[in-house]
Amino acid sequence: MSQDSTERIVAGVRSWISTAPHGARLPSNRALMAKYGASPVTVQKAMQRLIAQGIVESRPGVGTFVRAVRPPSPVDYGWQTAALGSPQSRLTALSSTQRAVAPDAIALHSGYPARELLPERLVRAAIARAGRSDAAIVRSPVAGHPELQSWFANELAAFVPAGVAPPTARDALVVAGSQSGLSSIFRALVGHGEPLVIESPTYWGAILAAAQAGVVLVPVPTGPEGPDPDDVDRALARTGARAFYAQPSFANPTGAQWSREVGAAVLEVVRRRGAFLIEDDWAHDLAIDADPRPLAALDDDGHVIYLRSLTKSVSPALRVAAVIARGPARERILTDRAAESMYVSGLLQAAALDVVTQPGWRSHLRGVREQLRARRDLLVRSIQEHAPAAHLEIAPVGGLNLWLRLPDGADAESLARACESRGLIVAPGTEWFPAEAAGPYVRLNFSGENPDRFPDAARILGSLL
Amino acid sequence: MSQDSTERIVAGVRSWISTAPHGARLPSNRALMAKYGASPVTVQKAMQRLIAQGIVESRPGVGTFVRAVRPPSPVDYGWQTAALGSPQSRLTALSSTQRAVAPDAIALHSGYPARELLPERLVRAAIARAGRSDAAIVRSPVAGHPELQSWFANELAAFVPAGVAPPTARDALVVAGSQSGLSSIFRALVGHGEPLVIESPTYWGAILAAAQAGVVLVPVPTGPEGPDPDDVDRALARTGARAFYAQPSFANPTGAQWSREVGAAVLEVVRRRGAFLIEDDWAHDLAIDADPRPLAALDDDGHVIYLRSLTKSVSPALRVAAVIARGPARERILTDRAAESMYVSGLLQAAALDVVTQPGWRSHLRGVREQLRARRDLLVRSIQEHAPAAHLEIAPVGGLNLWLRLPDGADAESLARACESRGLIVAPGTEWFPAEAAGPYVRLNFSGENPDRFPDAARILGSLL
């Protein structure tokens, strides 16, 4: 009888469990006693059997719960291999610049400035205000918050010489960070399978976005004064490409700024070829020895597509950038943004606009400039003193990075691994090349935490070279 | 002499202007007098000439400024037509559901709930807290804030029956709203030129995201109990498609929920065909007569890709959603997200997590359920009374919308225009069909502002039918 009762309770509970969610609490022993007319001992026995079967688990003093039964063998997702096929483009999810590293390491690999270079007080006050405003609760228009569109347009308009029509607020589309802007520009203006001329070396994120969009990269070499405009002209002519992606001011990774002559000549080339210049002014707020000179300011016939982000200078949490484009190109990009993400959080837009319209913003930027200068100079001196074999071909006039040429025969990836084993994290230069690397390079970010450790970093680098 | 001086000043100022930014302030008249050794009258004359030439403008009491000289004729962006070519997919930037309308109109076209259905107090408090935390100033990991990943995984795990392995925090990828999730899923798991089986009618945003990704849509009809599993099977077999996009709970636009039998059978079909079910649980928090039943909870071998957003239930300003996926599919989607947007603002993630972990969140959802029920019932009664020719084929058990079949021969677009001229905004059903519309339909959102105007809306609709 007790045996039968035990079995009946086990079967009943198992049946109940088959429809119960994982983690559900079983009826109490008292309830089971009542339901099955069974003694405490019988119910206890049934519970022990269910526990032994791995179906329920007892948490003393809390109760008995349905247990998640993991399949006995590891799950085999092999079927997905056939369903997914080969990827249409080879992407890597994580750049070496995005790696999390040991907290005591000297981290010169990141693409972001240290917290002390951000306007933290302005950001927190702006978020508090935005959280109390309508922006916390309403939807933003697809093209962006009109006042923020206007701010971006006015900022560029201040560089526009007389005789050129400045951009209007409507021309400025707010996007959720410059990576989103690049993705949309490449999809909308270039397209799957089509060629895009690109500086080499250049920002790895642009190379990644281009790969995702399925565009075919056509690299042209770039140097301290920018690319050779004839190279750009030949690349456009040879491939039929209708767009050239570039960072004319404080390029990532080199920190170089195109000369005025190169800028004017490249603009002339893209005009003659009926092409777009996609100008990524990523370091607009990160100038050191020179001011940014947006080429977009010299163009009012829609040849320059201008991209400018606030993420690095305001806060990585306020992912807000703008694409300034005119003519049908604007419509094509806006359509892609709508399909991709509908709209950008109005909270982030309101907070970002608040920060950049505070009186403290300008003085903050002046302070950042001095800090970047001091950090850059310290890292350059440290390298010259302790790692003279690492050669700085281009002295950066803005941005966050030093781009170092290693001696011939050195291998950037091996060096980066060797550095890491000594507690120094650097980014091997490979990621900044659209094709093969032109040589062994490493990129060092001078805007990270603890600049006082730059001499140690240079010593480690020097000892390994 | 005065004539010469005037000319000299005009030429000098013009030369200065040629390098000055638009809007720059001219030197004062006093400074010009000193520089050119000219009289006040001469300087005044030169200024008047420059103003007449349209090169500078005087703002009385403020100063004289360089004027932006607009090109004499409208800019011709025709060259872009050749550079851009035909779009690779035909997209429209703005859905009829996103239109801004006259403030006094009865707006039943939007896809979003009214402000009074949002947990405004919780949202504002959460933003304030997040703004004081590290989330305001640091970068988020690519896959999302680990605690938010964990919250999304646990929410789904609560639906998982015994014997099925629940998802882990790692399986949940945080994305910036469900539109971004759809775009990445379609790009990563289907790909350019490849087929995707899709319910018809279905969410227009999914149709848009699919068009952007260049996938080829294969529609199967769906009804009050969901699609016919044999239809799904045939569509997968015939086209070789490896994915089926669907909204099993409270579909947009109909509000229907698949029966348990249809759900189990479709799951069986995708398993047998080695395919993915992309389950868009968009109305998880918008249940009325039934609870949501995520099919993803029944799957632990990676066949179901689950998408769940907080935008509509928490706040349109906190654009946060999750894609829950396992196996290589997770990696493929994560890689696409990294290339597309790098990471989601940690501020939005922290605020969203704060809202959904407050005790007030559960009681808020219970209140929303009652409000949605009352609004739905009022609109249904109003339509039955005043516009009986508009037929409700499916009584919605959740979601925000009524999907009305118009009489044969009616034209949804014309009707929507006629309604608008009477101050009623409805969404013509065309946008919810991946191919031709199966008939004339309109969608009415019962969660908007002013439910007390539902009877008026029904009267207008009735008088036009």
Side-chain angles (χ1 to χ4, degrees), chain A residues 156 171 173 181-182 184-186 188-190 242-246 248 267 270 275-281 295-297 299 301-308 322-333, chain B residues 79-80 84:
Chain A
L156 181 56
D171 300 330
L173 307 175
L182 288 175
S184 280
I185 293 168
F186 294 163
L189 304 191
V190 185
R242 292 302 190 105
F244 173 37
Y245 167 81
L267 215 44
V270 297
F276 294 102
L277 171 64
I278 301 166
E279 178 179 31
D280 182 357
D281 197 15
L295 288 168
D299 167 68
D301 52 5
H303 279 284
V304 182
I305 309 294
Y306 180 75
L307 179 60
R308 189 260 196 266
V323 174
I324 300 185
R326 312 194 202 192
R330 174 200 180 268
E331 311 309 318
R332 199 70 74 90
I333 295 166
Chain B
W79 71 269
Q80 286 191 357
L84 291 171

Side-chain angles (χ1 to χ4, degrees), chain A residues 422-437:
Chain A
R422 303 275 297 273
L424 168 66
I425 318 293
V426 302
T430 339
E431 285 183 62
W432 282 266
F433 289 98
E436 294 78 6

Side-chain angles (χ1 to χ4, degrees), chain A residues 19-268:
Chain A
T19 62
H22 154 67
R25 188 195 199 123
L26 260 60
S28 68
N29 284 11
R30 186 182 298 270
L32 292 172
M33 281 158 60
K35 175 163 185 187
Y36 292 99
S39 72
V41 175
T42 308
V43 167
Q44 191 57 35
K45 233 187 212 166
M47 283 299 127
Q48 280 160 359
R49 200 164 307 166
L50 286 162
I51 289 167
Q53 290 170 352
I55 294 170
V56 305
E57 56 191 351
S58 164
R59 297 186 210 142
V62 184
T64 309
F65 296 85
V66 176
R67 196 172 157 205
V69 183
R70 281 252 162 213
S73 60
V75 178
D76 179 10
Y77 297 119
W79 71 269
Q80 287 191 356
T81 306
L84 291 172
S86 287
Q88 290 190 333
S89 55
R90 286 265 161 212
L91 306 177
T92 43
L94 210 59
S95 155
S96 69
T97 65
Q98 294 174 304
R99 290 177 49 213
V101 297
D104 60 339
I106 310 178
L108 304 184
H109 68 300
S110 161
Y112 286 80
R115 185 159 168 167
E116 64 254 35
L117 294 176
L118 300 176
E120 186 165 336
R121 197 181 49 79
L122 294 180
V123 168
R124 292 192 188 282
I127 293 170
R129 274 188 289 267
R132 291 193 296 268
S133 76
D134 265 11
I137 210 82
V138 304
R139 198 154 46 99
S140 160
V142 176
H145 190 305
E147 282 180 56
L148 184 58
Q149 290 183 280
S150 181
W151 183 86
F152 277 118
N154 286 338
E155 186 195 52
L156 181 56
F159 291 87
V160 172
V164 176
T168 66
R170 191 178 169 281
D171 300 330
L173 307 175
V174 179
V175 298
S178 66
Q179 192 68 18
S180 299
L182 288 175
S183 296
S184 280
I185 293 168
F186 294 163
R187 271 195 301 265
L189 304 191
V190 185
H192 200 267
E194 299 295 328
L196 169 69
V197 179
I198 192 165
E199 286 179 294
S200 177
T202 194
Y203 173 47
W204 62 265
I207 299 172
L208 183 65
Q212 185 209 35
V215 314
V216 181
L217 294 181
V218 181
V220 294
T222 191
E225 304 274 294
D228 181 337
D230 290 341
D231 278 351
V232 176
D233 193 32
R234 273 191 297 270
L236 290 170
R238 182 172 56 78
T239 62
R242 292 302 190 105
F244 173 37
Y245 167 81
Q247 297 186 326
S249 283
F250 323 132
N252 181 351
T254 63
Q257 184 173 37
W258 293 8
S259 68
R260 285 180 201 276
E261 293 66 35
V262 166
V266 168
L267 215 44
E268 177 54 32

Side-chain angles (χ1 to χ4, degrees), chain A residues 21-22 79-80 85 124 131 133 136 158 160 179 187 203 212 301-302 315-317 326 328-329 332 336 339-340 342-343 345, chain B residues 21-22 79-80 85 124 131 133 136 158 160 179 187 203 212 301-302 315-317 326 328-329 332 336 339-340 342-343 345:
Chain A
H22 154 67
W79 71 269
Q80 287 191 356
R124 292 192 188 282
S133 76
V160 172
Q179 192 68 18
R187 271 195 301 265
Y203 173 47
Q212 185 209 35
D301 52 5
S315 163
R326 312 194 202 192
R332 199 70 74 90
D336 185 88
E340 174 62 37
M342 221 73 101
Y343 63 91
S345 159
Chain B
H22 155 67
W79 71 269
Q80 286 191 357
R124 292 191 189 282
S133 76
V160 172
Q179 192 67 19
R187 271 196 299 266
Y203 173 47
Q212 186 208 34
D301 52 6
S315 164
R326 312 193 202 193
R332 199 69 73 92
D336 186 89
E340 174 62 38
M342 221 72 105
Y343 63 91
S345 159

Side-chain angles (χ1 to χ4, degrees), chain B residues 317-367:
Chain B
L318 299 184
R319 280 186 81 52
V320 166
V323 174
I324 301 186
R326 312 193 202 193
R330 175 200 179 270
E331 312 309 318
R332 199 69 73 92
I333 295 166
L334 178 64
T335 301
D336 186 89
R337 279 324 299 164
E340 174 62 38
S341 72
M342 221 72 105
Y343 63 91
V344 178
S345 159
L347 177 72
L348 301 185
Q349 296 186 63
L353 178 65
D354 184 313
V355 170
V356 297
T357 51
Q358 292 297 322
W361 171 241
R362 288 282 137 208
S363 51
H364 166 77
L365 286 183
R366 281 192 297 274

